[in-house]
Amino acid sequence: MMGRGRLEIKRIENPTQRQSTFYKRRDGLFKKARELAVLCDADLLLLLFSSSGKLYHYHSPSVSNVQELLRRYEVASQTRILKDQNGGENVEEVERMCEILEREIRFMRIDEGEEYTLPVLQVIEQNLEVAMKKVREEKDRKIQAEMETLHRMVKDRQLDGCGLCEKQSPTPLLLGEQPLFGYELDLKLGFD
């Protein structure tokens, strides 16, 4: 049985691969945080900012709010994080936003063991429909952009082919004659 090879830890240059790796590793990190909180009854707060500045966070269910955990950290480490009232308000705002997002995520999941009322199921269905609409719109936009790129590439290749045929043609065309190479090129590319 073959094991995984060692991965050299360095910045991933390809942005698509870097983003994909970020999401996979973020999910793994949050899974480990949840497991640690449940298995060891640990209180933890995990804050993660993506390279674009988007905040992802997790705090163990035993902690009532983020500010409580930050205060405990300040006492234990003798480090001030919340230096003034505005800092406390910012933490409260982030905490409020995180709780709203967590609630929305819970609404997007269906737990088999739980009984849902019809109104709750309708809200979940509406949320999923909105999300699907956004996904479809983005997918359509990307497909359209890809098709435009491919059409431009085909047109460029046709023009390149026309130029090559003209260079190789030993006799110039007489006035009014149509070149045959354009039709032959279209057949090679699979067009009518």
Short mmCIF file of all heavy atoms in Angstrom, two decimals, residues 155-180:
data_model
loop_
_atom_site.label_atom_id
_atom_site.label_comp_id
_atom_site.label_asym_id
_atom_site.label_seq_id
_atom_site.Cartn_x
_atom_site.Cartn_y
_atom_site.Cartn_z
N LYS A 155 -11.49 32.03 -34.43
CA LYS A 155 -11.38 33.09 -35.43
C LYS A 155 -9.92 33.45 -35.69
O LYS A 155 -9.50 33.61 -36.84
CB LYS A 155 -12.16 34.33 -34.97
CG LYS A 155 -12.33 35.37 -36.03
CD LYS A 155 -13.23 36.47 -35.55
CE LYS A 155 -13.47 37.46 -36.66
NZ LYS A 155 -14.41 38.51 -36.26
N ASP A 156 -9.13 33.54 -34.61
CA ASP A 156 -7.70 33.84 -34.76
C ASP A 156 -7.00 32.74 -35.55
O ASP A 156 -6.16 33.02 -36.42
CB ASP A 156 -7.03 33.99 -33.39
CG ASP A 156 -7.46 35.26 -32.67
OD1 ASP A 156 -8.06 36.15 -33.32
OD2 ASP A 156 -7.21 35.35 -31.45
N ARG A 157 -7.33 31.48 -35.27
CA ARG A 157 -6.71 30.35 -35.99
C ARG A 157 -7.11 30.37 -37.46
O ARG A 157 -6.31 30.07 -38.34
CB ARG A 157 -7.11 29.00 -35.38
CG ARG A 157 -6.64 28.77 -33.96
CD ARG A 157 -5.12 28.93 -33.80
NE ARG A 157 -4.68 28.71 -32.46
CZ ARG A 157 -4.47 29.66 -31.57
NH1 ARG A 157 -4.67 30.92 -31.89
NH2 ARG A 157 -4.05 29.38 -30.36
N GLN A 158 -8.36 30.74 -37.74
CA GLN A 158 -8.80 30.83 -39.13
C GLN A 158 -8.03 31.92 -39.86
O GLN A 158 -7.57 31.71 -40.99
CB GLN A 158 -10.31 31.12 -39.20
CG GLN A 158 -11.17 29.94 -38.88
CD GLN A 158 -12.64 30.28 -38.88
OE1 GLN A 158 -13.02 31.41 -38.60
NE2 GLN A 158 -13.47 29.30 -39.18
N LEU A 159 -7.86 33.06 -39.20
CA LEU A 159 -7.10 34.15 -39.83
C LEU A 159 -5.64 33.75 -40.03
O LEU A 159 -5.05 34.05 -41.07
CB LEU A 159 -7.20 35.42 -38.98
CG LEU A 159 -8.58 36.08 -38.94
CD1 LEU A 159 -8.58 37.23 -37.95
CD2 LEU A 159 -9.00 36.56 -40.32
N ASP A 160 -5.06 33.06 -39.04
CA ASP A 160 -3.69 32.57 -39.18
C ASP A 160 -3.59 31.60 -40.35
O ASP A 160 -2.65 31.65 -41.15
CB ASP A 160 -3.21 31.87 -37.90
CG ASP A 160 -3.00 32.84 -36.74
OD1 ASP A 160 -2.98 34.07 -36.99
OD2 ASP A 160 -2.87 32.36 -35.60
N GLY A 161 -4.59 30.70 -40.46
CA GLY A 161 -4.61 29.73 -41.57
C GLY A 161 -4.74 30.41 -42.91
O GLY A 161 -4.09 30.01 -43.89
N CYS A 162 -5.58 31.44 -42.98
CA CYS A 162 -5.74 32.18 -44.23
C CYS A 162 -4.42 32.83 -44.64
O CYS A 162 -4.03 32.81 -45.80
CB CYS A 162 -6.83 33.23 -44.10
SG CYS A 162 -8.49 32.57 -43.99
N GLY A 163 -3.75 33.40 -43.64
CA GLY A 163 -2.47 34.05 -43.93
C GLY A 163 -1.43 33.05 -44.42
O GLY A 163 -0.67 33.33 -45.35
N LEU A 164 -1.38 31.86 -43.81
CA LEU A 164 -0.43 30.83 -44.24
C LEU A 164 -0.75 30.35 -45.66
O LEU A 164 0.14 30.13 -46.47
CB LEU A 164 -0.46 29.64 -43.28
CG LEU A 164 0.17 29.88 -41.91
CD1 LEU A 164 -0.08 28.68 -41.01
CD2 LEU A 164 1.66 30.15 -42.03
N CYS A 165 -2.04 30.15 -45.96
CA CYS A 165 -2.43 29.70 -47.30
C CYS A 165 -2.07 30.73 -48.36
O CYS A 165 -1.63 30.38 -49.45
CB CYS A 165 -3.93 29.38 -47.35
SG CYS A 165 -4.37 27.91 -46.42
N GLU A 166 -2.26 32.00 -48.03
CA GLU A 166 -1.93 33.05 -48.98
C GLU A 166 -0.42 33.08 -49.24
O GLU A 166 0.03 33.30 -50.35
CB GLU A 166 -2.41 34.40 -48.47
CG GLU A 166 -3.91 34.57 -48.57
CD GLU A 166 -4.38 35.88 -47.95
OE1 GLU A 166 -3.55 36.64 -47.39
OE2 GLU A 166 -5.59 36.12 -48.00
N LYS A 167 0.38 32.85 -48.19
CA LYS A 167 1.83 32.86 -48.34
C LYS A 167 2.30 31.68 -49.19
O LYS A 167 3.27 31.78 -49.93
CB LYS A 167 2.52 32.80 -46.98
CG LYS A 167 2.42 34.09 -46.20
CD LYS A 167 3.10 33.94 -44.86
CE LYS A 167 2.94 35.20 -44.04
NZ LYS A 167 3.52 35.07 -42.71
N GLN A 168 1.62 30.53 -49.08
CA GLN A 168 2.04 29.35 -49.81
C GLN A 168 1.46 29.27 -51.21
O GLN A 168 1.92 28.49 -52.02
CB GLN A 168 1.65 28.10 -49.02
CG GLN A 168 2.41 28.03 -47.72
CD GLN A 168 2.58 26.61 -47.26
OE1 GLN A 168 2.03 25.70 -47.83
NE2 GLN A 168 3.39 26.44 -46.24
N SER A 169 0.45 30.04 -51.49
CA SER A 169 -0.19 30.01 -52.81
C SER A 169 0.77 30.60 -53.85
O SER A 169 1.15 31.75 -53.76
CB SER A 169 -1.49 30.81 -52.78
OG SER A 169 -2.06 30.84 -54.06
N PRO A 170 1.16 29.79 -54.88
CA PRO A 170 2.14 30.29 -55.86
C PRO A 170 1.54 31.32 -56.81
O PRO A 170 2.24 32.17 -57.31
CB PRO A 170 2.57 29.04 -56.62
CG PRO A 170 1.45 28.07 -56.40
CD PRO A 170 0.80 28.42 -55.12
N THR A 171 0.25 31.26 -57.06
CA THR A 171 -0.34 32.22 -58.01
C THR A 171 -1.30 33.12 -57.28
O THR A 171 -2.10 32.67 -56.46
CB THR A 171 -1.11 31.47 -59.13
OG1 THR A 171 -2.13 30.67 -58.51
CG2 THR A 171 -0.19 30.61 -59.95
N PRO A 172 -1.25 34.40 -57.55
CA PRO A 172 -2.19 35.31 -56.91
C PRO A 172 -3.59 35.07 -57.47
O PRO A 172 -3.76 34.60 -58.59
CB PRO A 172 -1.66 36.69 -57.29
CG PRO A 172 -0.80 36.48 -58.48
CD PRO A 172 -0.32 35.06 -58.44
N LEU A 173 -4.58 35.39 -56.69
CA LEU A 173 -5.96 35.23 -57.13
C LEU A 173 -6.30 36.30 -58.15
O LEU A 173 -5.86 37.45 -58.05
CB LEU A 173 -6.90 35.36 -55.93
CG LEU A 173 -6.84 34.23 -54.90
CD1 LEU A 173 -7.75 34.57 -53.72
CD2 LEU A 173 -7.25 32.92 -55.52
N LEU A 174 -7.09 35.91 -59.11
CA LEU A 174 -7.58 36.87 -60.09
C LEU A 174 -8.72 37.64 -59.46
O LEU A 174 -9.39 37.16 -58.54
CB LEU A 174 -8.05 36.16 -61.35
CG LEU A 174 -6.96 35.37 -62.10
CD1 LEU A 174 -7.58 34.62 -63.25
CD2 LEU A 174 -5.88 36.30 -62.59
N LEU A 175 -8.99 38.79 -59.96
CA LEU A 175 -10.05 39.64 -59.44
C LEU A 175 -11.38 38.89 -59.50
O LEU A 175 -11.76 38.37 -60.54
CB LEU A 175 -10.11 40.94 -60.27
CG LEU A 175 -11.02 42.03 -59.68
CD1 LEU A 175 -10.53 42.43 -58.30
CD2 LEU A 175 -11.07 43.23 -60.60
N GLY A 176 -12.08 38.82 -58.39
CA GLY A 176 -13.38 38.16 -58.36
C GLY A 176 -13.34 36.70 -57.97
O GLY A 176 -14.37 36.10 -57.71
N GLU A 177 -12.17 36.06 -57.95
CA GLU A 177 -12.09 34.65 -57.55
C GLU A 177 -12.16 34.53 -56.03
O GLU A 177 -11.66 35.38 -55.30
CB GLU A 177 -10.76 34.03 -58.01
CG GLU A 177 -10.74 33.60 -59.44
CD GLU A 177 -9.49 32.80 -59.76
OE1 GLU A 177 -8.88 32.25 -58.82
OE2 GLU A 177 -9.12 32.74 -60.93
N GLN A 178 -12.80 33.47 -55.57
CA GLN A 178 -12.90 33.20 -54.14
C GLN A 178 -11.85 32.15 -53.77
O GLN A 178 -11.72 31.15 -54.46
CB GLN A 178 -14.29 32.66 -53.78
CG GLN A 178 -15.39 33.69 -53.96
CD GLN A 178 -15.25 34.83 -52.96
OE1 GLN A 178 -14.85 34.61 -51.83
NE2 GLN A 178 -15.54 36.04 -53.41
N PRO A 179 -11.13 32.34 -52.68
CA PRO A 179 -10.16 31.33 -52.26
C PRO A 179 -10.87 30.10 -51.72
O PRO A 179 -11.91 30.19 -51.10
CB PRO A 179 -9.37 32.03 -51.15
CG PRO A 179 -10.29 33.08 -50.62
CD PRO A 179 -11.15 33.50 -51.79
N LEU A 180 -10.30 28.93 -52.00
CA LEU A 180 -10.88 27.67 -51.53
C LEU A 180 -10.39 27.32 -50.12
O LEU A 180 -11.01 26.53 -49.44
CB LEU A 180 -10.52 26.53 -52.49
CG LEU A 180 -11.13 26.64 -53.88
CD1 LEU A 180 -10.62 25.50 -54.74
CD2 LEU A 180 -12.64 26.60 -53.81
#
